[in-house]
Amino acid sequence: MTSNDDSDLIERFKKGDRSAFEAILLRYQDRIYTLCRYMLKNREDAQDAAQDAFLKGYRGLKGFRPESSLYTWMYRIAVTTCLDYRKKSRREVFRSEPLTEDLPSNGPSPEQLYESGEIPDSVQLALQKLPEKLRAAILLREMEELSYEEIAEVLHTSVGTVKSRISRAREQLRHLLKKKFD
Amino acid sequence: MKCSHVNKLISQYVDEALSPDEKKDFDSHIKDCALCREGLQEARTLRRLFASAERFPAPVGFSTRVLANLAEEENLRFRFLIAIRPFFMRAAQVTFALVVITMGILSGNLLVAEKTETIEQAAVVREAFSLDLFQATPPDSIGGIYSTLMRPNHEI
């Protein structure tokens, strides 16, 4: 996959060729879905978020500016959509549950999801405990292998902030996984 | 280099993002510090865990569902445009009528302004261009004659 291929697809889409979007969808669906699976707790939310991300991408593709690459642009939409989903689910929990910390949450904990097979491995289990911004940064680095500059573009922040977030994420994950395996 | 500083650089070290000078200092510290070496080892293990972490293929039928949703969305947009079309047509008709009336009034006023020299003349012409075409009882009609006759101070 090269950015030249992406540019061709974007040009074709802008000229009204709908099949170009289908090609973009097929090219990125696995990567976007994987990102959503690791960003969100369960597979239904991940599927809905990935679908929403592509719908948003379709609506915005005509205004896409060629100075950024298509995949960083798609990742940005996916990360924003996942963060919105998490905010939404937090609001729903807030509305449906009394503000008493002693009471257990109705939803399954990451450990329960891990034991049921919903969260497939220890890395994802530990990832669920990271703050969202750190999780997004480390996922883009480790799973998608983006450079610091590309991650900064996706997360709309500076390279320095990206370095710091990835470093903090790694440190927290090291502690979480160490606790689990000790 | 102190341990706290090395600890902060571990992440960039495993990403090979340190400058040559920083890398040299880092390497020389690591050689002598077991604690930092352990931290680096853990960071490398973490990278391996991520490398072997599962990549999820999109669920079966995912792209079909996205495309179906897009088609549905476009269909809804088209139906909405069809539904609001009569209102647009009526609004366009009303706007056109208003534009024609406004242009008529403005051009009439301009004609009056150009062709007359005095205020009295302008008043006469304005009256001639007036839209008040329908006098209920013009003086030379039966009604007009009757109205004139019925005035209290009329002299026969």
Side-chain angles (χ1 to χ4, degrees), chain A residues 91-115:
Chain A
R91 272 202 301 273
E92 277 162 12
V93 168
F94 183 75
R95 269 203 297 272
S96 64
E97 286 179 6
L99 280 170
T100 313
E101 285 184 5
D102 300 339
L103 290 176
S105 155
N106 286 335
S109 68
E111 283 82 1
Q112 285 167 328
L113 290 168
Y114 175 58
E115 278 156 20

Side-chain angles (χ1 to χ4, degrees), chain A:
Chain A
M1 176 185 59
T2 66
S3 57
N4 276 347
D5 292 342
D6 284 343
S7 305
D8 290 346
L9 289 173
I10 294 161
E11 278 310 303
R12 274 172 50 201
F13 179 79
K14 284 184 177 175
K15 284 175 186 163
D17 181 358
R18 268 182 60 104
S19 68
F21 181 76
E22 205 175 328
I24 292 170
L25 173 61
L26 292 173
R27 179 173 290 176
Y28 289 109
Q29 60 175 358
D30 291 348
R31 297 169 76 175
I32 295 294
Y33 179 67
T34 296
L35 180 68
C36 293
R37 271 301 298 269
Y38 279 97
M39 281 293 290
L40 299 168
K41 264 188 188 175
N42 64 57
R43 59 180 74 127
E44 281 78 22
D45 280 355
Q47 199 172 322
D48 289 347
Q51 194 164 297
D52 278 0
F54 278 109
L55 293 176
K56 286 177 190 169
Y58 179 85
R59 289 182 213 125
L61 200 54
K62 280 206 167 152
F64 176 79
R65 287 173 302 166
E67 53 260 34
S68 61
S69 56
L70 183 62
Y71 63 92
T72 55
W73 184 73
M74 275 309 304
Y75 281 135
R76 186 191 299 181
I77 295 174
V79 168
T80 312
T81 307
C82 289
L83 294 178
D84 287 346
Y85 263 75
R86 289 186 70 92
K87 263 186 223 159
K88 205 174 92 184
S89 72
R90 264 205 306 269
R91 272 202 301 273
E92 277 162 12
V93 168
F94 183 75
R95 269 203 297 272
S96 64
E97 286 179 6
L99 280 170
T100 313
E101 285 184 5
D102 300 339
L103 290 176
S105 155
N106 286 335
S109 68
E111 283 82 1
Q112 285 167 328
L113 290 168
Y114 175 58
E115 278 156 20
S116 68
E118 183 83 4
I119 288 178
D121 54 41
S122 52
V123 173
Q124 195 175 353
L125 179 67
L127 274 169
Q128 293 303 321
K129 294 183 176 176
L130 286 187
E132 285 152 4
K133 285 180 177 176
L134 302 192
R135 188 183 321 147
I138 193 72
L139 280 174
L140 290 167
R141 176 70 202 135
E142 297 287 11
M143 303 294 286
E144 308 303 330
E145 295 175 359
L146 299 193
S147 67
Y148 288 153
E149 288 76 14
E150 286 171 326
I151 298 169
E153 204 182 314
V154 173
L155 301 179
H156 225 275
T157 188
S158 66
V159 172
T161 306
V162 168
K163 283 180 187 172
S164 154
R165 282 184 193 172
I166 291 174
S167 175
R168 276 155 56 210
R170 280 185 174 135
E171 206 172 327
Q172 289 188 27
L173 285 172
R174 267 161 52 201
H175 288 298
L176 287 165
L177 292 169
K178 208 172 168 184
K179 243 190 267 175
K180 182 170 171 53
F181 292 119
D182 276 351

